[in-house]
Amino acid sequence: TSSNFSCDTSFKNLTGFLFTFLNKNTKELVKKAMPTAVIPGSFATPSLLASIIDKKFTQSLPLYRQEQSLERNGITLSRQTMANWMIKLHDLYFDVFVEHMHKQLLKSEYLNVDETTLEVLELLKTEGRQNCYMWLYKTGRSEDKQMAIYRFENDRKHERVKNYLNGYTNVVQSDGYAAYRNLEGVTNMGCFAH
């Protein structure tokens, strides 16, 4: 029972263990192994990370509002920490999925492609400009594997779409931006919204 255990505070520097207890009856040191961290060196649990991602990308709740909501509940967790976790998750895990999606995307028969400006406030301080670009590559409705891949780029150079769609030889539907018309081996189809 729990009354048979007391916390032994003399074991402060044990690494790899979450709990260390001294059994009062047997005088044995009992250690509970720490679960492997999703992000090494972080206290973020899988459920916390899933909640942050779901709120940001599914429920459109920005990190600053998540930070405020947590603060109202007595939890201090900065938006910078949450942003860093998402970047780290991408680097550790999600990049593999995105690469797989990219390979599947290049096999599709029809793509919608577009780019739009994206303000990056930090660039105003460091480079004197704000605009970067978010490029969207989306499979058509008739494809078995529906997907959309968003890619952040610092600029709108023709090489961005050319390099990403390298090897693609089917239909690209896009607006009139010359980068799409200059793709080799594709059939261009105009956008009906422009």
Side-chain angles (χ1 to χ4, degrees):
T1 65
S2 60
S3 61
N4 291 338
F5 292 93
S6 67
C7 185
D8 187 345
T9 58
S10 64
F11 295 94
K12 292 181 181 175
N13 292 321
L14 288 175
T15 57
F17 293 95
L18 183 58
F19 302 107
T20 304
F21 296 98
L22 183 65
N23 184 318
K24 290 180 184 179
N25 295 332
T26 64
K27 304 297 184 202
E28 286 183 64
L29 192 62
V30 178
K31 301 174 188 177
K32 293 263 188 182
M34 181 182 292
T36 303
V38 176
I39 299 173
S42 169
F43 65 86
T45 63
S47 58
L48 175 60
L49 295 167
S51 176
I52 292 167
I53 291 168
D54 175 60
K55 287 176 181 165
K56 178 165 177 50
F57 295 106
T58 307
Q59 301 175 31
S60 301
L61 190 64
L63 295 178
Y64 80 91
R65 288 186 47 212
Q66 291 188 52
E67 178 184 36
Q68 292 169 346
S69 177
L70 290 166
E71 187 69 36
R72 285 191 299 272
N73 288 294
I75 300 168
T76 302
L77 182 58
S78 75
R79 68 188 102 175
Q80 186 62 52
T81 296
M82 291 185 274
N84 288 338
W85 285 346
M86 285 192 287
I87 292 166
K88 196 68 171 172
L89 285 172
H90 174 270
D91 294 345
L92 291 171
Y93 306 106
F94 299 154
D95 191 44
V96 174
F97 294 113
V98 175
E99 283 304 313
H100 177 72
M101 288 173 65
H102 180 231
K103 289 176 185 173
Q104 296 302 312
L105 184 107
L106 293 176
K107 295 177 185 177
S108 64
E109 294 188 26
Y110 172 89
L111 293 177
N112 294 107
V113 183
D114 200 7
E115 84 295 332
T116 189
T117 57
L118 178 71
E119 287 186 358
V120 179
L121 298 177
E122 191 63 30
L123 289 179
L124 188 61
K125 296 177 195 172
T126 60
E127 298 181 22
R129 65 183 180 96
Q130 275 184 271
N131 287 339
C132 291
Y133 290 85
M134 186 65 70
W135 295 70
L136 169 65
Y137 302 87
K138 183 185 177 307
T139 57
R141 291 183 188 172
S142 61
E143 297 292 332
D144 290 335
K145 295 180 180 176
Q146 294 287 303
M147 66 185 83
I149 299 176
Y150 292 85
R151 287 188 51 89
F152 174 86
E153 300 285 1
N154 279 320
D155 54 49
R156 193 178 181 219
K157 291 180 180 174
H158 293 195
E159 291 82 27
R160 302 297 179 216
V161 69
K162 180 182 176 184
N163 292 340
Y164 199 69
L165 293 182
N166 185 33
Y168 183 74
T169 57
N170 291 314
V171 176
V172 170
Q173 183 176 22
S174 63
D175 59 21
Y177 180 42
Y180 306 122
R181 290 193 313 268
N182 292 336
L183 291 171
E184 293 179 22
V186 303
T187 302
N188 287 295
M189 190 167 106
C191 176
F192 300 122
H194 289 84

